[in-house]
């Protein structure tokens, strides 16, 4: 029985891999058509009257005083902590923080390392949230253990 299951799964994977191996020509990019489209385009800024230039400069001056967020710490620690609290065993917080897909699947299959790894992740995120450290050092981490 085990041999039948193994052989049928191998056959299934072989068929699936062959169906994705070839790329139809309709999905290939036509570089000449792309260049022609871009060269025929019209620059929108050249169509704006000079009166709008003053208004846009005023708008830029008012928005430059707004606070900005850095790209490196783009994930919110509170959101990751809430996801870890309610969906920690499924590793949804790890997907939110940009963990590799296979690591997330392993997290789901083990239910967060039988809940132990999920609990430690929750504690780490709680400490990061309380200390206002941010979670940038945990983002895009491919390892199973976040810490």
């Amino acid at each position: 029985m085990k041999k039948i299951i193994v052989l049928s799964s191998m056959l299934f994977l072989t068929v699936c891999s062959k169906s994705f191996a070839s790329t139809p020509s309709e999905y290939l990019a036509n570089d000449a058509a792309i260049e022609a489209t871009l060269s025929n385009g019209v620059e929108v800024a050249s169509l704006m009257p000079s009166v709008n230039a003053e208004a846009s400069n005023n708008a830029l001056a008012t928005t430059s005083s707004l606070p900005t967020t850095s790209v490196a710490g783009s994930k919110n620690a509170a959101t990751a902590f809430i996801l870890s609290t309610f969906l920690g065993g499924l590793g949804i917080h790890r997907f939110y923080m940009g963990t590799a897909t296979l690591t997330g699947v392993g997290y789901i299959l083990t239910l967060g390392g039988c809940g132990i790894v999920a609990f430690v992740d929750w504690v780490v995120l709680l400490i990061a949230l309380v200390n206002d450290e941010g979670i940038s050092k945990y983002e895009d981490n491919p390892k199973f253990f976040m810490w």
Side-chain angles (χ1 to χ4, degrees), residues 40-134:
N40 292 336
V42 178
E43 187 175 342
V44 178
S46 65
L47 298 177
M48 294 174 52
S50 62
V51 175
N52 286 342
E54 259 182 54
S56 66
N57 286 340
N58 291 339
L60 287 174
T62 57
T63 58
S64 65
S65 63
L66 295 174
T68 58
T69 58
S70 65
V71 176
S74 62
K75 305 295 182 187
N76 189 354
T79 304
F81 176 73
I82 291 171
L83 287 172
S84 176
T85 301
F86 295 108
L87 301 169
L90 296 176
I92 304 300
H93 64 288
R94 298 295 299 271
F95 285 113
Y96 171 74
M97 292 188 302
T99 302
T101 306
L102 288 178
T103 304
V105 170
Y107 211 93
I108 290 171
L109 292 176
T110 62
L111 292 175
C114 295
I116 297 169
V117 178
F119 178 72
V120 174
D121 284 357
W122 182 82
V123 171
V124 167
L125 290 172
L126 178 64
I127 292 170
L129 185 65
V130 170
N131 291 341
D132 244 359
E133 295 174 1

Side-chain angles (χ1 to χ4, degrees), residues 5-44:
I5 293 173
V6 170
L7 288 175
S8 63
S9 62
M10 288 174 59
L11 177 67
F12 176 74
L13 290 174
T14 304
V15 170
C16 289
S17 66
K18 286 185 181 181
S19 66
F20 291 118
S22 63
T23 304
S25 61
E26 63 190 48
Y27 294 119
L28 298 176
N30 185 350
D31 292 333
I34 293 172
E35 288 298 324
T37 303
L38 292 176
S39 65
N40 292 336
V42 178
E43 187 175 342
V44 178

